[in-house]
Amino acid sequence: MITVQPIRYTPHQGEWHRLAQLLGFRPAFPPNPQWSEFDGRGILAVHHAAPDDDHAGRTDLHLLSDDLDAVESRLSSAGFAVTTRLLDDIGRMLVVTAASGATITVSGGARRADTGLLAVQPIWYQPDLDEPRRILEAIGLQPRIAAEGGGWIDFTADGGGLAALHQHDEVKIDLSLEYTGDLDDLAERLSRAGFGASVIDEAYNRTLLVDAPEGDRLWVNGTMDDLYGYHRLDA
């Protein structure tokens, strides 16, 4: 089993705790200033970072597995170099670095988080999507929807959560979410709570843009219901 668990590093933990619950995530345990987890479809982790830390505002694409040995074996068989870190709080963690320099991590302790209207959907941006696709598939994610032109593909995890690849000149990983409910109602709820929120129309559906505590914008995408220019891979 694989569960998607993006990690957001922030000096604004309290605001992220509030935002996560307003969005519809549920705390897996009482949030604390260093590390908190919020469940929906997938798990949003919020990690403390000092304001002057290079990690502040960054999102890591992290995955949880119930069989790290199997993940390591699949990655190695697919030709990817895997390094291992030993962390006091989580134990063994696998690290895969793509040719672009993007780093993906996998640790143990997967648990099922696959309920609710809200899914985590970290997006990995880079020019060439072939290698990252092979990495995510080797880890155990399943392709779901792809653009006909090859610039987008997203994946599901059997334990909960989504991940996506997007063709872009810049190599980066951003946090985004997918929401199957009413985006206008969600935007109103967030606005009443003091978070700037606006809904825009995209070719594939509508998207809610939310002002994140660090000053960037969090994209909450509506479920794709217009597949013109796209095709499903999980049919």
Side-chain angles (χ1 to χ4, degrees), residues 98-121:
S100 65
T103 299
I104 309 304
T105 55
V106 188
S107 64
R111 55 186 172 82
R112 191 166 298 281
D114 59 358
T115 60
L117 301 176
L118 193 65
V120 297
Q121 189 184 54

Side-chain angles (χ1 to χ4, degrees), residues 128-178:
D128 176 23
L129 302 187
D130 177 65
E131 184 188 32
R133 175 174 180 166
R134 290 186 293 113
I135 289 173
L136 294 183
E137 288 182 336
I139 290 171
L141 274 66
Q142 300 297 315
R144 183 183 68 158
I145 296 173
E148 300 289 354
W152 168 275
I153 181 169
D154 65 21
F155 302 80
T156 61
D158 58 355
L162 307 169
L165 305 175
H166 197 316
Q167 201 164 48
H168 196 278
D169 290 340
E170 182 183 1
V171 178
K172 60 179 180 176
I173 293 171
D174 278 348
L175 177 64
S176 76
L177 309 171
E178 184 181 270

Side-chain angles (χ1 to χ4, degrees), residues 174-198:
D174 278 348
L175 177 64
S176 76
L177 309 171
E178 184 181 270
Y179 190 65
T180 61
D182 188 317
L183 286 175
D184 294 306
D185 285 350
L186 181 57
E188 183 178 351
R189 183 164 77 239
L190 291 165
S191 296
R192 286 199 308 266
F195 288 98
S198 59

Side-chain angles (χ1 to χ4, degrees), residues 196-220:
S198 59
V199 178
I200 62 172
D201 290 322
E202 296 283 356
Y204 53 85
N205 203 323
R206 306 171 76 220
T207 293
L208 170 61
L209 301 180
V210 184
D211 293 338
E214 289 76 29
D216 57 331
R217 281 189 147 184
L218 174 66
W219 287 59
V220 183

Side-chain angles (χ1 to χ4, degrees), residues 3-17:
T3 307
V4 182
Q5 187 195 58
I7 303 172
R8 178 73 174 210
Y9 296 86
T10 179
H12 308 288
Q13 306 95 299
E15 282 298 278
W16 266 104
H17 298 166

Side-chain angles (χ1 to χ4, degrees), residues 77-96:
S77 296
F80 299 111
V82 181
T83 59
T84 298
R85 297 177 189 166
L86 290 175
L87 304 179
D88 291 340
D89 48 351
I90 66 171
R92 185 162 64 108
M93 183 172 74
L94 307 180
V95 182
V96 186

